[in-house]
Amino acid sequence: METITNPRIQKSKKYFRFLLFAILFIAAGLSLFALAVYMYAKILGPPPLAVPQSTLYYSNDGAIIGESNSGQKRYWVPLNSVSQDVVDATISIEDRNFYHHHGFDIKRIGGALLADAIAMHKVQGASTITQQYAKNLFLTMDKTWTRKISEALYTIRLEMNYSKKQILEGYINTINYGHGAYGIQAASQYYFGKNANKLDLAEASMLIGIPKGPSIYSPINSFEKAKKRQLLVLKSMRENGYITDGEAKSAALEKLTIIGKHAYHRSDLAPYFQDIVKHQLKTALGLSDRTINLGGLRVYTTLDTKQQKIADEVIKESISEDSDIQVGFTAMNPKTGFVTALVGGRNYSDSPYDRAVQATRQPGSTIKPLLYYAALEKGFTPTTMMRSEPTTFKFDNGRAEYTPHNFNNEYADGEITMAQALALSDNVYAVKTHLFLGENTLVKTAKDFGITTKMAKVPSLALGTSGVHVIDMVRAYSMLANGGNKVEPVFITRVEDYQGKVLYDYMPQKEQVLQPDLAYVMTQMMTGMFDKKLNGYAPVTGSTIINQLTRQYAGKSGSTNTDSWMIGFSPQLTAGVWTGYDKGNEITLSADKRYAKTIWARFMERALKGEPIKTFKAPKGVVSVPIDPQSGKIATKDCPVSREMYFVKGSEPSAYCDLHGKEGKTIRKHKDKQKQDGWLHKLFKWL
């Protein structure tokens, strides 16, 4: 029996087979495409998660003192440092299936397409948290097919290589919350003045509503719209089981206080110090400008905020507002070299030029402690005596002459000790010592003390005519304060990247440069500028500030026609001040000449207030002897003035003062051990 085939059935079968083939072909094509995309993503590997973040600078007590000035506030915090309400609100309103998809929410995409088709325009988004994070990390906001394909590829790579926790943490730290705040930490600080882990439900729901449209839903721009968005977030959290009805109502009724202020500003505190830190990150650590500004670094510094504020205050109150005098100031821990405060000028906004580190100025008599330390090495003692009188020195094989002068042309017209010469800042004694030692000696000694500028081999070098940096001089004095150990100015103690990986960790290295005994003897001589007992023919150079000081200090002032200096230290702290005009104009007003000493005294007293009062501890190789300053010999009961002075054991005087008592009688003890002045004294007599 012959079967009759219906043409319509045959046609339907052909159509069905074609449709099935087409579907299988498309499915196979899509599968191959998906496999190719997967393999390509696999080959590319995990995308880097380094995003622009603000670099933060910390003081020595962990307080934030500033940040990189990029215009955007970005602070990365781990997910466990974020309020749980923030996490729940984010997932609830942005991507409730976050933990159940692999980067794309197919069901949500379908629903969004249907809603858009019905409305004939885009009314509903379908991007997952992973997709939004990919866009935040790597892409622009262009609405092109190229960007969408790139976004999809990045999304796949993120899901393939990172955990949901890492992706969520990254999203929360990179999303835009408006007003330059990127990430939940910056937003929390800007809107509510607190860290992200302190946000309550009401605050969290308000913040999480903002990224939908930062310019629209910011409570700064429109609290009404922000409130409506907050209620929508709370409703979503309630429907998704994150909170109860009662919690939602309580949060909705909570009164919120909006701060609207970013926590950190670039130049609020120690801007000159921060510039140095940034420079060292680039030159010493080899970091790029982009890494420094946008790498999310955590830079831990040596700055003491208390001391920095004191320095700023005393400079402002000490220098007249009408004066054009400038200032360079540095404070340092003499044991570690840690720079605790630094001021490079009176107004950073007007002039970022750093006069503490960059400027080169003549140190005047503040160079003398370095000269006299070299003299101690060559056999001088604090009681080595020379005549103080107008003297013309010939040098350069007799072809040139040099005649130094004392302040106000005052001379002792007799012999004075080295201790007196330092306390009174006698220039003739200094030049005699310099030429006796040889002009190369001070040049070498200055280098040993850490002076980095070039020293000229001339007689006037003893009076500080070669320029130096303030920070170098503070470093040099710190070496005397710490017993002769080498110190380098330290600004940075530790650098971490945004994930906490240590990029740099300061490791102190101890190196003995000076002889401890001589460093101590020199330090004790430097206390003389505050000691009226060393007064010979003129007031000691620290006489104007002696009454302001409440503890033991060692120091030296210095001046030229264009520069005024004061540098000094206690066992715990060294500080140095330079004042003068930027263009090197002569300092003529007596008030302007006193600024450096006034600033130094006020700073030291306030910075050390409440700290233990410490004295300089003598090494075992040092002995103390009561000395009559006038004769430089051991004081007797008949001497009107006696000062305890220190010597390296074996170099102390053995003769008793014979200038006082009945008929100038010399008091002697242990005659068999008595000895006359040595060859050094006889040579000076001849000179």
Side-chain angles (χ1 to χ4, degrees), residues 390-502:
T391 306
T392 297
F393 298 92
K394 293 185 178 182
F395 64 102
D396 192 19
N397 294 323
R399 291 191 294 269
E401 293 184 347
Y402 176 59
T403 305
H405 299 280
N406 282 349
F407 181 71
N408 288 336
N409 285 315
E410 292 183 339
Y411 303 88
D413 287 329
E415 291 188 333
I416 59 173
T417 65
M418 184 162 70
Q420 282 179 304
L422 182 62
L424 304 172
S425 204
D426 189 278
N427 289 336
V428 175
Y429 192 109
V431 176
K432 282 183 178 180
T433 303
H434 176 50
L435 294 178
F436 174 77
L437 297 177
E439 293 168 325
N440 285 327
T441 300
L442 182 53
V443 173
K444 179 184 180 302
T445 301
K447 186 176 181 180
D448 292 340
F449 271 87
I451 304 301
T452 57
T453 48
K454 187 176 180 180
M455 300 281 102
K457 299 176 184 178
V458 294
S460 62
L461 180 60
L463 308 184
T465 54
S466 287
V468 295
H469 302 308
V470 173
I471 195 167
D472 282 353
M473 292 300 291
V474 172
R475 172 192 184 184
Y477 278 47
S478 291
M479 290 176 63
L480 292 170
N482 70 26
N485 290 313
K486 180 179 181 180
V487 290
E488 298 283 352
V490 179
F491 292 87
I492 302 171
T493 57
R494 187 179 178 90
V495 180
E496 299 175 357
D497 67 13
Y498 73 97
Q499 293 180 318
K501 180 183 177 183
V502 178

Side-chain angles (χ1 to χ4, degrees), residues 288-492:
S288 67
D289 288 331
R290 177 174 175 79
T291 300
I292 294 169
N293 290 324
L294 299 172
L297 304 178
R298 303 294 182 263
V299 182
Y300 298 91
T301 76
T302 59
L303 188 80
D304 185 306
T305 54
K306 173 191 169 185
Q307 291 187 20
Q308 182 65 44
K309 290 176 182 177
I310 290 172
D312 292 335
E313 288 170 1
V314 297
I315 289 170
K316 185 175 182 180
E317 71 185 41
S318 300
I319 301 178
S320 170
E321 292 184 2
D322 299 328
S323 175
D324 291 329
I325 286 281
Q326 272 294 351
V327 63
F329 172 91
T330 302
M332 179 183 292
N333 182 323
K335 293 182 179 179
T336 61
F338 287 5
V339 177
T340 52
L342 186 139
V343 180
R346 292 175 64 188
N347 190 310
Y348 181 84
S349 298
D350 291 343
S351 174
Y353 178 68
D354 191 338
R355 297 156 187 86
V357 174
Q358 294 175 286
T360 301
R361 305 296 299 227
Q362 292 183 355
S365 292
T366 60
I367 201 71
K368 290 176 182 176
L370 280 62
L371 169 67
Y372 292 147
Y373 174 83
L376 292 176
E377 285 189 317
K378 299 297 184 181
F380 283 59
T381 75
T383 54
T384 297
M385 302 191 79
M386 285 190 277
R387 295 191 65 82
S388 172
E389 59 187 2
T391 306
T392 297
F393 298 92
K394 293 185 178 182
F395 64 102
D396 192 19
N397 294 323
R399 291 191 294 269
E401 293 184 347
Y402 176 59
T403 305
H405 299 280
N406 282 349
F407 181 71
N408 288 336
N409 285 315
E410 292 183 339
Y411 303 88
D413 287 329
E415 291 188 333
I416 59 173
T417 65
M418 184 162 70
Q420 282 179 304
L422 182 62
L424 304 172
S425 204
D426 189 278
N427 289 336
V428 175
Y429 192 109
V431 176
K432 282 183 178 180
T433 303
H434 176 50
L435 294 178
F436 174 77
L437 297 177
E439 293 168 325
N440 285 327
T441 300
L442 182 53
V443 173
K444 179 184 180 302
T445 301
K447 186 176 181 180
D448 292 340
F449 271 87
I451 304 301
T452 57
T453 48
K454 187 176 180 180
M455 300 281 102
K457 299 176 184 178
V458 294
S460 62
L461 180 60
L463 308 184
T465 54
S466 287
V468 295
H469 302 308
V470 173
I471 195 167
D472 282 353
M473 292 300 291
V474 172
R475 172 192 184 184
Y477 278 47
S478 291
M479 290 176 63
L480 292 170
N482 70 26
N485 290 313
K486 180 179 181 180
V487 290
E488 298 283 352
V490 179
F491 292 87
I492 302 171

Side-chain angles (χ1 to χ4, degrees), residues 45-164:
L49 301 184
V51 297
Q53 296 178 51
S54 298
T55 288
L56 297 180
Y57 301 103
Y58 295 82
S59 64
N60 62 3
D61 62 355
I64 295 175
I65 59 173
E67 66 176 319
S68 55
N69 188 16
S70 63
Q72 297 178 354
K73 312 297 179 182
R74 298 174 179 266
Y75 318 121
W76 191 284
V77 290
L79 202 59
N80 58 13
S81 294
V82 176
S83 164
Q84 187 60 43
D85 288 326
V86 169
V87 176
D88 294 342
T90 299
I91 294 174
S92 184
I93 196 68
E94 296 291 345
D95 187 1
R96 65 182 181 181
N97 294 319
F98 174 68
Y99 290 108
H100 306 293
H101 61 65
H102 298 288
F104 305 95
D105 191 336
I106 305 300
K107 184 177 179 180
R108 191 177 174 193
I109 292 173
L113 290 173
L114 180 60
D116 293 348
I118 294 173
M120 300 299 291
H121 64 89
K122 186 174 181 61
V123 295
Q124 185 174 320
S127 293
T128 63
I129 284 176
T130 311
Q131 288 175 277
Q132 293 182 65
Y133 183 34
K135 183 164 55 180
N136 294 341
L137 276 175
F138 312 109
L139 307 166
T140 66
M141 297 301 167
D142 298 336
K143 295 181 179 180
T144 63
W145 282 107
T146 301
R147 187 197 64 78
K148 289 182 179 296
I149 293 171
S150 297
E151 179 186 310
L153 185 59
Y154 276 121
T155 300
I156 294 170
R157 293 172 66 194
L158 284 171
E159 287 281 346
M160 284 174 59
N161 294 283
Y162 297 103
S163 68
K164 288 291 187 179

